[in-house]
Each structure stands twice: as structure tokens, then as C-alpha cells.
Amino acid sequence: VEIRNYSREYLDPIIRMCEGISFATSLSDPDRADRAMTAPGAVALVAVEDGELVGFSHSITDGALQAYLSMLLVSPDRQRRGIASALIEKTMERSGAIRLDLVSSEEAEPLYRTFSFRRLPGYRLHVGGDPGEVVD
Ligand SMILES: CC(C)(COP(=O)(O)OP(=O)(O)OC[C@H]1O[C@@H](n2cnc3c(N)ncnc32)[C@H](O)[C@@H]1OP(=O)(O)O)[C@@H](O)C(=O)NCCC(=O)NCCS
């Protein structure tokens, strides 16, 4: 498995991989998704095996202190082979930051616990949302 930088050619496979994943519905608009992937400070990585996309991650970093892991997904048939760990390791290396914050899915908790970590209560605030409203 090769970890590469994101480029637009990977966008369609990324969007296909995200179909049906609730936290990734925000990627369904391709131009918006591409803007996120290529934004200043974005560390967007893909995992490729035999020419096929098998995972991706998206993070934002200030390049000095703080990075935030916003998306991480590995194909269901390629999980438990170290792909997510490799994406996180490469993100840490590329980010230049000293910490990587994230909001975890329940499923991913055992993965994050394999790293050095501190558990903190997390919040996601919705821009333009009503107080107390719950959306992905
Ligand atoms: C969570 C996810 C990214 C993990 O990807 P992965 O490539 O399978 O993870 P890795 O193979 O790098 O896992 C490394 C270690 O983390 C732990 N781990 C990962 N997934 C696990 C699971 N489902 N159950 C228990 N432990 C798990 C294990 O210790 C694993 O090592 P091992 O396989 O040698 O036991 C993947 O399951 C996924 O895409 N899930 C759906 C989307 C999601 O929840 N994304 C995270 C959003 S915050």
C-alpha cells in the first residue's frame, strides 16, 4: 500500500467510498470536497493499492502546533492491515504540528488508543445551526 498526496483524480473514488457513511455526506459536492482537500494547511492523503484507492485522510494543520484530523476512512475489505495507522503516521510527519486533535467515531476508538493520547471531551459546533441541533 502506498500513501500519496491527494490529487483531483482520486476525488471520484473518495466520494464513492464515502457513500452511506454518515460523517462523510459533507463530501458529496465534488467542487466543495476538492476545495477542502486542497485548502491551505490541508494534509490530504490517499492510500493506493494496485492502482485502487483503499483509504484516505484529511487534516488541517497550522504547521507548528496544532493539527486536526477531520476525516479518515479505509475500505471495509482492506481494514485491519495498518492502512489507517499509516495515514495517521504520515499526517503527523507532514503536519509539522505537535498534537493532532480529532472527534472519533465509536468504531475508531481502538485505533486511536494505539497512539499516545489524552482523552478530552469533544464538541462540533455547527455554523448557522440552531442551539442544540444535532446533525453530522
Ligand atoms: C477506523 C478505521 C479508519 C480503521 O482503519 P484500519 O485501516 O482498519 O486500521 P488499522 O489497520 O491501521 O488498525 C490499527 C490498529 O487499531 C486497532 N483497530 C483498528 N480498527 C479496529 C476495530 N474495528 N476493532 C478493534 N481494534 C481496531 C487495532 O489495534 C489495529 O491493530 P491490529 O489490526 O493489529 O489489531 C476503519 O475501520 C474505518 O474506515 N471505519 C469507518 C470510518 C470511521 O469510523 N472512520 C473514523 C472516523 S473518526
Side-chain angles (χ1 to χ4, degrees):
V1 177
E2 250 186 278
I3 307 297
R4 298 184 190 156
N5 288 328
Y6 165 86
S7 62
R8 178 96 195 198
E9 69 187 287
Y10 296 112
L11 188 57
D12 285 345
I14 286 173
I15 290 172
R16 276 200 298 278
M17 188 183 284
C18 289
E19 275 164 15
I21 308 273
S22 65
F23 73 84
T25 48
S26 49
L27 280 188
S28 55
D29 173 344
D31 289 333
R32 192 170 199 177
D34 186 61
R35 283 210 308 281
M37 293 292 180
T38 57
V43 180
L45 302 174
V46 294
V48 179
E49 189 170 41
D50 299 327
E52 191 193 336
L53 180 91
V54 295
F56 78 96
S57 64
H58 175 265
S59 304
I60 291 289
T61 181
D62 64 18
L65 290 177
Q66 179 70 46
Y68 175 76
L69 176 68
S70 42
M71 274 178 289
L72 174 67
L73 193 61
V74 172
S75 291
D77 58 339
R78 311 295 174 101
Q79 291 177 3
R80 301 303 292 268
R81 294 171 55 218
I83 295 172
S85 306
L87 287 164
I88 293 172
E89 294 284 359
K90 186 64 82 181
T91 296
M92 288 173 159
E93 194 185 306
R94 292 274 169 81
S95 70
I98 58 172
R99 57 185 183 232
L100 179 63
D101 287 349
L102 60 96
V103 177
S104 182
S105 65
E106 216 168 288
E107 181 181 350
E109 292 221 36
L111 165 69
Y112 300 129
R113 288 176 178 277
T114 67
F115 290 83
S116 168
F117 71 95
R118 186 152 65 95
R119 191 109 167 57
L120 299 161
Y123 283 80
R124 173 165 293 167
L125 308 184
H126 299 123
V127 175
D130 294 329
E133 185 189 14
V134 178
V135 288
D136 285 329

